[in-house]
């Protein structure tokens, strides 16, 4: 070989090797130890700690417990034993954890300088506000403070701030202020508040218009009390409403009343009781005479109910030992709503509910809540340039006030607008100073769960951003050096008489010992009202559109949380997109649920018009339509000029098809069981073993100690979807967005599938992976990524899955979900949402199938705990996330091999059924429904 | 045409050595751990001084994670120990400006793996089984690949649960 | 095999150092020779079978010449194979002293299998004379020899490979599961392919260069041998590279280091030169290149063995530490014992105690102020005049009040003498300072 060739070869060889070794720069993981180990007694690295806090998603004040792993709260659940919500949170409460970690949260104070908002320090912002205040005072302008419902010590602090700095504290603004109910109670019982309704102590509940399950006052405690009452045995619940709602379906009986006919119904009931001398408290003679009479026929025609319905209802109501009448929602937020409320109050007084099932000691604490009249008055003062600094905290009136008030323009006239909130909105766009509020879990505070119970909270996580709680802001504005936490603890000592703060926080709430005293009806006030007002309103002519508060967004405040929009509505299963629910009679056009094509309708009312896709709601009465409140065009809203109630009933609304169709992400493919008997009719129910178990490739499995199973009681299930939100957060399920839902790619592991029956009832089927004994999905997996383990679970081994999706294809229950994208890259877990991830559950990457695993990680830590005490797992020791979240204990989980376990007993009730049992999949979940119970009972 | 074969031969062997260097580059980048910020000698502490593992790795019997000791445990001895070595100066410097020592992670499991130290300690597994006899080691090094084969082999040998859901999250 | 383990005295650090190089040299003896034996038997058997079927004398002649020249007598084989395997077994068990790898057992088994294999190979070599008389006997012997050699190679390869996988030691108790381990299969295939390559090169070398080549080779036969030898060597050399790279790639994580890959690339370069020369030989036919080819081929074998050695050292680095520590402790005991026996100046008394204090105790104790441990002035009053109690405490300390002194006093594991000397010094010092 010549020297030149040799040199050439050596050069080539060495260059190749150097080239290959220039790899990526080193990125090895680091372990950062503590400087000093935290001396928190129940802290164990990597294990969960539990701290009490309060859910601040709405002003109900439910007690909550935050599960904290490595100092990050990763799950919020109701605080067990709390008098208001005893261990459960509503769907918005479960999802409110996202509000803490959401990347769009406001992170530092900002001041508008020359049109643009600039980040400033807190001192600078506070000084700017105080200058504004002094400037306003000197120029004779009044500064005002408008906040959402404020209770507990914050309210006292707000009063002292108002008096000290000459700021006028306006009545609190809540979109659903129940002004008519409170006006009626102040007329009859001179208490400007709404009582607590003790449903669990009543044996006959008549609810008129009040959406108890969705949003009325405290949906969680309503559902819990309904469950307790039903468990008590003899409890009937009749719900009367003009349109279709989830509450209506979940009641024992649902009656449709003509829009505006509620007052006639109540008048008939009152007359019936008075004329037959029923009830405990007689009316005074002149009140009785002044009462307009209403014949059976008049009542029937005004309400649209049949005569024997009325009769049957009146008798049942009169004969009930502890009847309870709850009026609200669409019944009172309409013209003439006040007379309905007054009539209801009189019935409550006559039938002796006051003091028993209607309890003013445990009232809602809404006495300092104003109404739209106060907003109107504020708007006028603003237009008259009398307002200096306008503080707006924890509320966004611009989003919910009728457009006719032109609040936005008038707010422009204030000298300075100081907005205290945690997310951007149209309010922050016109704000001069934005003071970001800390999340409930980052701040001290107390909230009145009711006038008798105050829930207390202490920060459970260190602040994510440079934010302050409203209490701290007020202390700074008052120039106090002390921070809100210390002031609050001293406040608790004097007001609640509690010395040991830690014990109080551990308990989570304190009894204020409030008592409204002995309440009697003010006869002559009632008398003057009855004589002065026309009690029964005229039924609306033409079409009526109801704007109902949504279970997912309440008055629109929860739309900040993407999870609440991702979870579909329990009735229409629509997740993204505005829509209006119309009746079949409106024949708006052809619906194709599979391709998600929905007809577009134009809705006119009160001079405004909207074009929306229409969802044909089965059983919806003719020419009645409903829309989610936050999706309504605000110019269709009006105000009751007398009480300031927000009128959410749009009379003379017309819904007519436009012939066009549009895409609407309604996740359910259809709403009828197509004779598949998913939920068998009473009577033709099949028994255990009637269907032989299907074949499977794998050997027969013998379960030694555990055979995990579940029982779901569809009668107690209210369809509130708290379980769906809890499952999303517990198992790190990504929020994917509208375009994925339009393609039918939903990610939730549990879905509430509504099935509408001809007889006007609806069954919502809670559907998740059935952990089938002979699972059709196991045989088709080419890589053994899903198999049946020896404890009865269909386990998904995520890192083996190669994404053929054949298992999804083979699953008759359609409960498997596929990760089309790597949702971490797609931003579903944008910083700091990664801190919300549950470390015990693997975040599935792209191309992996996922499904409910009966919270395998909870089973594993339960067994781990039991193994430490070398015993088997006791019944009820392991709670799966949906079971823990369910307010009505509809879901029971446990070991089917343990004969005296709760789930075994429930699974043996002979009126149980399994979904699609005829396919031979031998599922581990047994269901039972009301229909079966009746036939069984 | 005649001298094409040497070029082919050379091309073949060049690619082979490139593959080898590729293995090397991969190992150097991903598997070859960086040097530790402080060269902590396990053999002195666990060997000569006879300290128990749990003295520093406090939560190994209580939780899934053994946890690297908090700096206060190091300082409980080294605050006034007389030994002078450059490594201890580094430790004191970290401690004075209140900055935790960023140890380089040597043993790590994949995200989808559930491994609990507590369960293994309670089952009577010695630390040395997986980490090697630390009383003799100067610089912490992986002595086991922690591959699935290693774990399943041990589970089979000691009839521990071999169910997929035991370790797969 | 335990009897060997027990009687084997613990290797000194220097012994281990030597053992590591001895092992590589011994395998340099075993590996090429065993490969040539196996390759020759295989090729000659193939050729003689072909010779029988195609009635062409050339094949039978080559197979006969091959067997004659390349297969050494039983004496030579036993020196080149049996002895090295046994010594390797012993030196490995020294390297892996007190680990549960029972490595010697595997080598011993390979040694036992090798004996019949070598005998059979020699019988096969002699069977050429009677090949025409009873051909079946000839082929049968060939196959048996081949089987024997293959099992020996498999035994040898699995014994050597298992050393690089310490995590598998507790799990594998006998040779059987070991041989079907995936890593062993790769290295066995590499060995087989390498052996054919070396046999090709050896064929060329022994036919054309060794004591100035075979005499009566006519031109046709010479050309055939050259092409056959060169072709086999070139083909299998290239194939061998794939297995070589594959086996380096599957080395466990903790056995990897940059030098492992460096030596690998060096090996690639040597192999490239070999194949280049082989190509030159085949195309130009000048047999003078035969020697460099054979030397380079052996050079490559040496480099791959060095590579295995590097991988082994990385994997056993932690085991070597353990041995160093073990030896240090033992040497300390031996020195102490020898000091006692020889009656030499056994170091006792307070002066020696002072040195002991200065080397160990001073780290945590001081006379006047509290460091990590309590100050002696505050502790020693308890032990005034009670020397053996203090000595006892020093030998195995007990925690008196853990709150004030979180760091535990370590049991120093000293001999009684050191503890006593230290105690004496402390008490003297205490009395002086009192």
């Amino acid at each position: 070989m010549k020297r030149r060739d040799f040199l050439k070869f050596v050069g080539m060889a060495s260059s190749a090797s150097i080239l290959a070794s220039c790899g990526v720069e080193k990125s090895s993981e680091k372990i950062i130890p503590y400087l000093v180990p935290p001396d928190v007694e129940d802290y164990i690295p990597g294990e969960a700690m539990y701290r009490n806090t309060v859910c601040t998603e709405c002003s109900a004040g439910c007690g909550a417990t935050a599960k904290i792993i490595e100092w990050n709260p990763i799950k919020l659940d109701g605080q067990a034993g709390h008098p208001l919500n005893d261990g459960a949170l509503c769907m918005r409460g479960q999802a409110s954890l996202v509000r803490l970690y959401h990347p769009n949260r406001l992170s530092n104070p900002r001041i508008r300088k020359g049109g643009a908002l600039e980040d400033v320090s807190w001192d600078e912002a506070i000084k700017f506000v105080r200058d504004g205040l002094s400037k306003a005072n000197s120029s004779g302008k009044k500064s005002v403070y408008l906040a959402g419902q404020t209770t507990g010590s914050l309210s006292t602090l707000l009063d002292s701030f108002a008096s000290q700095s000459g700021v006028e504290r306006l009545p609190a603004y809540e979109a659903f202020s129940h002004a008519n109910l409170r006006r009626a109670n102040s007329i009859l019982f001179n208490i400007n508040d709404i009582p607590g309704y003790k449903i669990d102590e009543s044996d006959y509940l008549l609810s008129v218009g009040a959406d108890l399950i969705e949003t009325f006052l405290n949906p969680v405690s309503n559902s819990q009390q309904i469950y307790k009452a039903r468990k008590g045995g003899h409890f009937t619940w009749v719900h009367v409403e003009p349109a279709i709602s989830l509450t209506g379906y979940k009641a024992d009986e649902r009656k449709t009343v003509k829009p505006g006919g509620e007052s006639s119904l109540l008048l008939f009931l009152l007359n019936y009781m008075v004329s037959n001398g029923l009830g405990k408290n007689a009316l005074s003679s002149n009140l009785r005479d002044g009462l307009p009479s209403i014949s059976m026929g008049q009542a029937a025609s005004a309400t649209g109910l049949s005569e024997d319905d009325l009769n049957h209802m009146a008798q049942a109501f009169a004969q009930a030992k502890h009847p309870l009448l709850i009026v609200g929602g669409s019944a009172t937020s309409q013209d003439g709503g006040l007379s309905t409320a007054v009539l209801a109050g009189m019935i409550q007084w006559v039938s002796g509910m006051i003091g028993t099932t209607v309890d003013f000691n445990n009232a809602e604490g809404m006495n300092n809540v104003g109404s739209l009249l106060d907003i109107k008055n504020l708007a006028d003062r603003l237009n008259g340039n009398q307002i200096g600094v306008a503080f707006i905290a924890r509320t966004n009136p611009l989003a919910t006030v009728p457009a006719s008030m032109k609040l936005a323009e008038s707010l422009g006239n204030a000298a300075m607008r100081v907005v205290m909130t945690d997310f951007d909105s149209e309010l922050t766009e016109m704000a001069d100073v934005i003071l970001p509020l800390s999340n409930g879990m980052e701040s001290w505070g107390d909230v009145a769960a009711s006038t008798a119970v105050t829930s207390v909270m202490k920060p459970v996580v260190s602040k994510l951003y440079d934010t302050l709680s409203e209490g701290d802001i007020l202390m700074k504005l008052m120039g106090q050096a002390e921070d809100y936490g210390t002031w609050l603890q001293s406040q608790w000592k004097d007001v609640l008489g509690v010395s040991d703060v830690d014990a109080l926080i551990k308990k989570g709430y304190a009894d204020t010992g409030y008592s409204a005293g002995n309440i009697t009806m003010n006869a002559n006030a009632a008398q003057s009202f009855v004589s002065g007002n026309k009690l029964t309103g005229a039924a609306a002519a033409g079409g009526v559109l109801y704007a109902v508060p949504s279970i997912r967004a309440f008055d629109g405040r929860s739309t900040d949380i993407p999870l609440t929009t991702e979870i579909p509505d329990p009735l229409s299963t629509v997740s993204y997109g505005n829509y209006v629910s119309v009746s079949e009679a409106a024949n708006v056009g052809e619906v194709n649920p599979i391709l998600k094509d929905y007809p577009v309708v134009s809705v006119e009312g009160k001079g405004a018009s909207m074009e929306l896709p229409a969802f044909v709601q089965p059983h919806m009465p003719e020419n009645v339509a409903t829309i989610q409140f936050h999706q309504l065009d605000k110019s269709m809203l009006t105000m009751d000029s007398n009480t300031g109630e927000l009128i959410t009933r749009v009379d003379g609304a017309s819904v007519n098809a436009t012939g066009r169709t549009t895409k609407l992400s309604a996740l359910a493919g259809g709403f009828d069981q197509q004779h598949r008997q998913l939920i068998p009719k009473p009577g033709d129910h099949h028994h255990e073993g009637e269907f032989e178990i299907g074949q499977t490739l794998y050997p027969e499995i013998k379960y030694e100690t555990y055979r995990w199973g579940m029982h779901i009681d569809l009668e107690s299930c209210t369809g509130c979807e708290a379980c769906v939100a809890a499952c999303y957060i517990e198992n790190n399920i990504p929020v994917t967005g509208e375009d994925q839902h339009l393609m039918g790619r939903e990610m939730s592991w549990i879905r509430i599938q509504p099935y509408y029956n001809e007889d006007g009832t609806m069954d919502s089927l809670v559907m998740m992976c059935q952990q089938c004994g002979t699972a059709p999905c196991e045989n088709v997996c080419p890589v053994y990524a899903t198999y049946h383990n020896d404890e009865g679970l269909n386990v998904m081994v995520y890192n083996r899955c190669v994404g053929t999706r054949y298992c999804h294809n083979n699953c008759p229950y359609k409960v498997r979900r596929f990760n089309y994208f790597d949702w971490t890259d797609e931003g579903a877990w944008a910083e700091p949402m990664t801190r919300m991830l549950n470390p015990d559950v693997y975040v599935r990457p792209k191309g992996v199938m996922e499904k409910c695993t009966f919270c395998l990680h909870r089973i594993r830590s339960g067994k781990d705990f039991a193994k430490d005490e070398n015993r088997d797992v006791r019944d009820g020791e392991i709670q799966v996330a949906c079971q823990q979240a369910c307010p009505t204990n509809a879901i029971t989980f446990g070991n089917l091999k343990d004969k005296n376990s709760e789930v075994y007993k429930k699974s043996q009730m002979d009126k149980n059924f399994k979904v699609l049992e005829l396919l031979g999949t031998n599922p581990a979940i047994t269901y039972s429904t009301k229909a079966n119970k009746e036939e069984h009972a | 045409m005649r001298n094409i074969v040497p070029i082919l031969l050379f091309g073949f062997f060049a690619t082979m050595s490139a593959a080898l260097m590729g293995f090397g580059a991969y190992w150097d980048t991903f598997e070859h751990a960086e040097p530790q910020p402080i060269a902590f000698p396990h053999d002195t502490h666990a060997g000569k001084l006879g300290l128990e593992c749990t003295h520093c790795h406090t939560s190994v019997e209580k939780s899934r994670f053994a946890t690297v000791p908090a700096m206060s445990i190091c300082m409980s001895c080294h605050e006034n120990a007389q030994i002078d070595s450059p490594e201890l100066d580094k430790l004191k410097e970290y401690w004075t400006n209140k900055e935790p020592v960023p140890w380089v992670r040597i043993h790590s499991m994949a995200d989808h793996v559930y491994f609990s130290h507590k369960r293994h300690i309670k089952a009577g597994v010695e630390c040395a089984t997986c980490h090697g006899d630390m009383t003799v080691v100067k610089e912490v090094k992986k002595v086991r690949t922690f591959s699935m084969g290693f774990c399943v082999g041990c589970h089979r040998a000691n009839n521990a649960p071999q169910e997929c859901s035991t370790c797969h999250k | 095999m335990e009897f060997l383990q027990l009687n084997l005295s613990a290797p000194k650090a220097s012994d281990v150092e030597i053992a590591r190089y001895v092992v590589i040299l011994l395998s340099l003896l075993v590996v090429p020779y065993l490969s040539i034996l196996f390759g020759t038997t295989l090729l000659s058997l193939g050729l003689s079978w072909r010779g029988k079927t195609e009635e062409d004398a050339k094949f039978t002649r080559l197979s006969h010449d091959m067997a004659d020249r390349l297969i050494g007598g039983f004496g030579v084989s036993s020196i080149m194979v049996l002895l090295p395997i046994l010594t390797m077994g012993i030196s490995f068990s020294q390297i892996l002293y007190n680990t549960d790898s029972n490595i010697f057992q595997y080598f011993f088994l390979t040694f036992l299998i090798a004996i019949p294999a070598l005998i059979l190979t020699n019988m096969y070599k002699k069977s050429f004379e009677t090949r025409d008389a009873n051909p079946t006997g000839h082929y049968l012997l060939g196959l048996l020899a081949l089987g024997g050699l293959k099992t020996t190679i498999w035994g040898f390869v699995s014994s050597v490979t298992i050393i690089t996988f310490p995590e598998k030691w507790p799990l594998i108790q006998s040779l059987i599961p070991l041989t079907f381990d995936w890593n062993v299969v790769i290295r066995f295939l590499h060995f087989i392919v390498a052996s054919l390559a070396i046999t090709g090169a050896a064929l060329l070398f022994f036919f054309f260069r060794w004591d100035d080549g075979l005499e009566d080779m006519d031109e046709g036969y010479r050309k055939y041998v050259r092409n056959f030898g060169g072709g086999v060597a070139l083909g299998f050399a290239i194939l061998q590279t794939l297995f070589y790279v594959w086996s380096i790639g599957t080395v466990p994580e903790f056995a990897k280091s940059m030098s492992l890959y460096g030596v690998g690339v060096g090996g690639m370069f040597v192999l490239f030169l070999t194949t280049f020369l082989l190509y030159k030989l085949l195309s130009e036919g000048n047999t003078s290149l035969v020697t460099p080819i054979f030397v380079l081929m052996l050079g490559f074998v040496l480099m791959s063995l060095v590579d295995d050695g590097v991988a082994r050292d990385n994997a056993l680095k932690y085991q070597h530490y353990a041995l160093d520590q073990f030896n240090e402790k033992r040497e300390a005991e031996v020195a102490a014992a020898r000091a006692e026996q020889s009656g030499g100046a056994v170091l006792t008394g307070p002066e020696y105690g002072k040195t002991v204090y200065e080397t160990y105790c001073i780290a945590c104790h001081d006379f006047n102020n509290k460091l990590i441990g309590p100050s002696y002035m505050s502790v020693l009053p308890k032990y005034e005049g009670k020397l053996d109690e203090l000595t006892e405490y020093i030998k195995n300390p007990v925690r008196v009040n853990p709150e004030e002194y979180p760091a535990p006093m370590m049991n120093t594991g000293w001999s009684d003498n050191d503890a006593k000397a230290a105690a004496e010094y402390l008490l003297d010092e205490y009395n002086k300072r009192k």
Side-chain angles (χ1 to χ4, degrees), chain C residues 165 183 186-187 245-252:
Chain C
F165 292 85
N183 295 304
I186 300 172
R187 283 164 181 76
V245 167
W246 188 1
S247 65
I248 289 191
T250 56
V251 156

PDB file of all heavy atoms in Angstrom, chain C residues 165 183 186-187 245-252:
ATOM      1  N   PHE C 165     -21.526  -9.744  34.041  1.00  0.00           N
ATOM      2  CA  PHE C 165     -22.915  -9.418  34.450  1.00  0.00           C
ATOM      3  C   PHE C 165     -23.083  -9.775  35.930  1.00  0.00           C
ATOM      4  O   PHE C 165     -23.724 -10.753  36.273  1.00  0.00           O
ATOM      5  CB  PHE C 165     -23.923 -10.214  33.593  1.00  0.00           C
ATOM      6  CG  PHE C 165     -23.947  -9.778  32.155  1.00  0.00           C
ATOM      7  CD1 PHE C 165     -23.034 -10.302  31.251  1.00  0.00           C
ATOM      8  CD2 PHE C 165     -24.854  -8.820  31.721  1.00  0.00           C
ATOM      9  CE1 PHE C 165     -23.027  -9.868  29.929  1.00  0.00           C
ATOM     10  CE2 PHE C 165     -24.856  -8.392  30.399  1.00  0.00           C
ATOM     11  CZ  PHE C 165     -23.949  -8.923  29.507  1.00  0.00           C
ATOM     12  N   ASN C 183     -27.010 -12.860  26.017  1.00  0.00           N
ATOM     13  CA  ASN C 183     -25.676 -12.282  25.758  1.00  0.00           C
ATOM     14  C   ASN C 183     -24.671 -13.381  25.416  1.00  0.00           C
ATOM     15  O   ASN C 183     -23.809 -13.210  24.575  1.00  0.00           O
ATOM     16  CB  ASN C 183     -25.198 -11.537  27.025  1.00  0.00           C
ATOM     17  CG  ASN C 183     -26.095 -10.346  27.301  1.00  0.00           C
ATOM     18  OD1 ASN C 183     -26.262  -9.497  26.446  1.00  0.00           O
ATOM     19  ND2 ASN C 183     -26.735 -10.344  28.458  1.00  0.00           N
ATOM     20  N   ILE C 186     -24.917 -14.406  21.706  1.00  0.00           N
ATOM     21  CA  ILE C 186     -24.252 -13.477  20.757  1.00  0.00           C
ATOM     22  C   ILE C 186     -22.754 -13.755  20.754  1.00  0.00           C
ATOM     23  O   ILE C 186     -22.124 -13.916  19.712  1.00  0.00           O
ATOM     24  CB  ILE C 186     -24.488 -12.013  21.206  1.00  0.00           C
ATOM     25  CG1 ILE C 186     -25.965 -11.681  21.240  1.00  0.00           C
ATOM     26  CG2 ILE C 186     -23.729 -11.052  20.317  1.00  0.00           C
ATOM     27  CD1 ILE C 186     -26.241 -10.308  21.869  1.00  0.00           C
ATOM     28  N   ARG C 187     -22.168 -13.866  21.974  1.00  0.00           N
ATOM     29  CA  ARG C 187     -20.698 -14.010  22.016  1.00  0.00           C
ATOM     30  C   ARG C 187     -20.274 -15.362  21.471  1.00  0.00           C
ATOM     31  O   ARG C 187     -19.219 -15.503  20.845  1.00  0.00           O
ATOM     32  CB  ARG C 187     -20.233 -13.802  23.466  1.00  0.00           C
ATOM     33  CG  ARG C 187     -20.235 -12.310  23.808  1.00  0.00           C
ATOM     34  CD  ARG C 187     -20.159 -12.024  25.291  1.00  0.00           C
ATOM     35  NE  ARG C 187     -20.188 -10.577  25.532  1.00  0.00           N
ATOM     36  CZ  ARG C 187     -21.275  -9.831  25.456  1.00  0.00           C
ATOM     37  NH1 ARG C 187     -22.435 -10.391  25.110  1.00  0.00           N
ATOM     38  NH2 ARG C 187     -21.240  -8.530  25.694  1.00  0.00           N
ATOM     39  N   VAL C 245     -19.294  -5.964  16.837  1.00  0.00           N
ATOM     40  CA  VAL C 245     -19.917  -4.672  17.188  1.00  0.00           C
ATOM     41  C   VAL C 245     -21.173  -4.943  18.022  1.00  0.00           C
ATOM     42  O   VAL C 245     -21.431  -4.293  19.039  1.00  0.00           O
ATOM     43  CB  VAL C 245     -20.286  -3.899  15.888  1.00  0.00           C
ATOM     44  CG1 VAL C 245     -21.211  -2.736  16.204  1.00  0.00           C
ATOM     45  CG2 VAL C 245     -19.023  -3.433  15.191  1.00  0.00           C
ATOM     46  N   TRP C 246     -21.875  -5.994  17.620  1.00  0.00           N
ATOM     47  CA  TRP C 246     -23.123  -6.326  18.347  1.00  0.00           C
ATOM     48  C   TRP C 246     -22.775  -6.673  19.795  1.00  0.00           C
ATOM     49  O   TRP C 246     -23.402  -6.210  20.754  1.00  0.00           O
ATOM     50  CB  TRP C 246     -23.790  -7.506  17.619  1.00  0.00           C
ATOM     51  CG  TRP C 246     -25.161  -7.847  18.119  1.00  0.00           C
ATOM     52  CD1 TRP C 246     -25.856  -7.227  19.092  1.00  0.00           C
ATOM     53  CD2 TRP C 246     -25.969  -8.920  17.632  1.00  0.00           C
ATOM     54  NE1 TRP C 246     -27.076  -7.832  19.249  1.00  0.00           N
ATOM     55  CE2 TRP C 246     -27.172  -8.880  18.371  1.00  0.00           C
ATOM     56  CE3 TRP C 246     -25.811  -9.894  16.648  1.00  0.00           C
ATOM     57  CZ2 TRP C 246     -28.194  -9.793  18.151  1.00  0.00           C
ATOM     58  CZ3 TRP C 246     -26.839 -10.807  16.447  1.00  0.00           C
ATOM     59  CH2 TRP C 246     -28.021 -10.752  17.191  1.00  0.00           C
ATOM     60  N   SER C 247     -21.742  -7.447  20.007  1.00  0.00           N
ATOM     61  CA  SER C 247     -21.470  -7.872  21.404  1.00  0.00           C
ATOM     62  C   SER C 247     -20.963  -6.681  22.214  1.00  0.00           C
ATOM     63  O   SER C 247     -21.278  -6.548  23.397  1.00  0.00           O
ATOM     64  CB  SER C 247     -20.455  -9.023  21.414  1.00  0.00           C
ATOM     65  OG  SER C 247     -19.232  -8.533  20.930  1.00  0.00           O
ATOM     66  N   ILE C 248     -20.234  -5.769  21.594  1.00  0.00           N
ATOM     67  CA  ILE C 248     -19.812  -4.572  22.362  1.00  0.00           C
ATOM     68  C   ILE C 248     -21.048  -3.737  22.690  1.00  0.00           C
ATOM     69  O   ILE C 248     -21.203  -3.224  23.804  1.00  0.00           O
ATOM     70  CB  ILE C 248     -18.803  -3.729  21.557  1.00  0.00           C
ATOM     71  CG1 ILE C 248     -17.472  -4.465  21.483  1.00  0.00           C
ATOM     72  CG2 ILE C 248     -18.626  -2.352  22.175  1.00  0.00           C
ATOM     73  CD1 ILE C 248     -16.332  -3.640  20.952  1.00  0.00           C
ATOM     74  N   GLY C 249     -21.959  -3.657  21.727  1.00  0.00           N
ATOM     75  CA  GLY C 249     -23.158  -2.832  21.947  1.00  0.00           C
ATOM     76  C   GLY C 249     -24.004  -3.345  23.097  1.00  0.00           C
ATOM     77  O   GLY C 249     -24.649  -2.576  23.802  1.00  0.00           O
ATOM     78  N   THR C 250     -23.968  -4.695  23.327  1.00  0.00           N
ATOM     79  CA  THR C 250     -24.904  -5.211  24.362  1.00  0.00           C
ATOM     80  C   THR C 250     -24.199  -5.393  25.705  1.00  0.00           C
ATOM     81  O   THR C 250     -24.653  -6.144  26.558  1.00  0.00           O
ATOM     82  CB  THR C 250     -25.442  -6.598  23.924  1.00  0.00           C
ATOM     83  OG1 THR C 250     -24.263  -7.423  23.700  1.00  0.00           O
ATOM     84  CG2 THR C 250     -26.213  -6.504  22.631  1.00  0.00           C
ATOM     85  N   VAL C 251     -23.080  -4.726  25.862  1.00  0.00           N
ATOM     86  CA  VAL C 251     -22.414  -4.807  27.184  1.00  0.00           C
ATOM     87  C   VAL C 251     -23.286  -4.037  28.201  1.00  0.00           C
ATOM     88  O   VAL C 251     -23.895  -3.023  27.836  1.00  0.00           O
ATOM     89  CB  VAL C 251     -21.006  -4.143  27.044  1.00  0.00           C
ATOM     90  CG1 VAL C 251     -20.511  -3.663  28.368  1.00  0.00           C
ATOM     91  CG2 VAL C 251     -20.057  -5.081  26.351  1.00  0.00           C
ATOM     92  N   PRO C 252     -23.442  -4.542  29.443  1.00  0.00           N
ATOM     93  CA  PRO C 252     -24.322  -3.804  30.379  1.00  0.00           C
ATOM     94  C   PRO C 252     -23.786  -2.404  30.669  1.00  0.00           C
ATOM     95  O   PRO C 252     -22.594  -2.138  30.516  1.00  0.00           O
ATOM     96  CB  PRO C 252     -24.315  -4.664  31.639  1.00  0.00           C
ATOM     97  CG  PRO C 252     -23.085  -5.485  31.541  1.00  0.00           C
ATOM     98  CD  PRO C 252     -22.825  -5.706  30.089  1.00  0.00           C
TER      99      PRO C 252
END
